[in-house]
Amino acid sequence: MLPPLAIQQQYLLPKNLLTVIAGKIAGWRGGALTHALVRRFVAQYKVDMSEAADPRIESYATFNDFFTRPLREGARPISSAPFVCPVDAAISQFGPIEHDQIFQAKGHSYSSRALLGGDQQLAHRFDHGHFATLYLAPKDYHRIHMPCDGTLTRMIYVPGELFSVNPLTARHVPGLFARNERVVCIFECAQGPMALVLVGATIVGSMATVWHGVVNPPRTRAIREWNYEGQGIRLAKGAEMGRFLLGSTVVMLFPKNVLTFHADWAPTRPVRLGEPMATVVG
């Protein structure tokens, strides 16, 4: 059975070119035209501007400034739970990693090794662990925060495709999250390693981290890696760690026997930054 037409078209579209064009538009200082674009976006996606640190549309010089807007103080209280939700999003999938296989959708899974850029030794640290995949819709707040305290050790840029990451695409494109361009961030936490993976998508202009700035562009064909061992880059639970310039998906990996997800978590459920996500095993 053929996939839906919307999926077939994605294989044919010039996704990289569309992403470059979207990135230029998003970074354009277009004055009244930029403000008109933002107003239309706010109306179409019902964005709640009352949560923004600055709710005035005229205060954003570019669409990117609007899209990565900070929240007002106190808009997202951080729970005292050991692990908190790192983003505003919808739960795509979550649960155990079956040896090294991560569930994507019915009939589709992918390996932790593929997700992490082919590093088998790193992937083994998450064998039989747990994962969570969170989808950020256009209306969502697009900064990513820490689910727990952690010390940064590595960052890996993995080149790849730029398929959409919406739920329909996740159901029909095999290995989607290990296939798309992504930025892998590895932290050492009190309970062991944690991988926080920022997955790119069609028209996602770039991804950035607080310690590096914009990671992509440039979009290289080769994997790039940065080693932060011994540099003391430690981020507290709830602290900002990065952002998407236009929306996408976050995948988290944790080792075995570390956490139990919150009882009310379920696929498609909306979640918000700072809510309880999981408790420590034992």
Side-chain angles (χ1 to χ4, degrees):
M1 183 176 177
L2 288 174
L5 182 59
I7 304 301
Q8 296 179 53
Q9 290 175 335
Q10 289 192 52
Y11 283 93
L12 302 174
L13 287 171
K15 295 182 288 294
N16 282 55
L17 176 61
L18 291 174
T19 301
V20 169
I21 293 171
K24 290 186 180 299
I25 292 172
W28 176 51
R29 294 176 178 271
L33 290 177
T34 293
H35 298 151
L37 177 63
V38 172
R39 283 192 189 91
R40 181 172 180 177
F41 187 94
V42 168
Q44 181 173 346
Y45 291 104
K46 297 179 172 59
V47 178
D48 184 359
M49 292 300 291
S50 70
E51 295 184 329
D54 190 339
R56 299 170 302 149
I57 288 173
E58 298 77 14
S59 68
Y60 301 103
T62 69
F63 189 84
N64 274 339
D65 290 344
F66 155 73
F67 204 79
T68 59
R69 63 197 177 279
L71 296 174
R72 61 174 169 77
E73 190 72 26
R76 296 292 185 277
I78 303 301
S79 167
S80 61
F83 298 93
V84 300
C85 186
V87 289
D88 285 7
I91 300 170
S92 177
Q93 298 291 342
F94 71 102
I97 300 170
E98 303 291 347
H99 182 55
D100 67 344
Q101 292 296 301
I102 300 168
F103 182 71
Q104 176 179 302
K106 184 178 180 180
H108 296 298
S109 63
Y110 57 94
S111 72
S112 54
R113 176 179 178 177
L115 178 69
L116 299 175
D119 189 327
Q120 186 66 71
Q121 185 176 359
L122 175 60
H124 275 323
R125 302 187 73 188
F126 301 101
D127 285 355
H128 304 289
H130 285 82
F131 79 96
T133 304
L134 305 176
Y135 168 66
L136 285 73
K139 68 178 178 59
D140 289 325
Y141 168 65
H142 274 77
R143 298 191 183 198
I144 305 122
H145 295 247
M146 293 290 289
C148 60
D149 296 348
T151 300
L152 179 69
T153 59
R154 296 171 68 184
M155 182 172 74
I156 308 163
Y157 167 78
V158 186
E161 298 281 353
L162 288 168
F163 284 97
S164 168
V165 291
N166 63 30
L168 177 66
T169 310
R171 290 195 296 270
H172 291 282
V173 175
L176 175 63
F177 304 119
R179 190 170 185 165
N180 270 14
E181 176 184 58
R182 54 207 178 276
V183 176
V184 178
C185 305
I186 305 299
F187 295 89
E188 288 297 328
C189 309
Q191 294 80 21
M194 172 184 69
L196 199 52
V197 184
L198 284 56
V199 182
T202 311
I203 77 168
V204 175
S206 64
M207 293 172 277
T209 64
V210 297
W211 58 85
H212 180 90
V214 173
V215 180
N216 64 312
R219 285 187 163 89
T220 58
R221 294 184 179 181
I223 290 175
R224 291 181 284 148
E225 183 170 345
W226 295 262
N227 190 323
Y228 296 100
E229 292 272 7
Q231 294 191 27
I233 302 176
R234 183 167 178 79
L235 299 176
K237 182 179 73 174
E240 182 185 344
M241 61 76 59
R243 62 187 69 174
F244 289 114
L245 281 70
L246 300 182
S248 197
T249 289
V250 170
V251 181
M252 292 175 284
L253 305 184
F254 300 93
K256 66 185 296 187
N257 299 327
V258 162
L259 57 74
T260 301
F261 285 105
H262 204 276
D264 65 356
W265 265 44
T268 75
R269 179 185 182 274
V271 290
R272 301 184 94 188
L273 164 65
E275 291 180 348
M277 181 178 75
T279 58
V280 176
V281 170

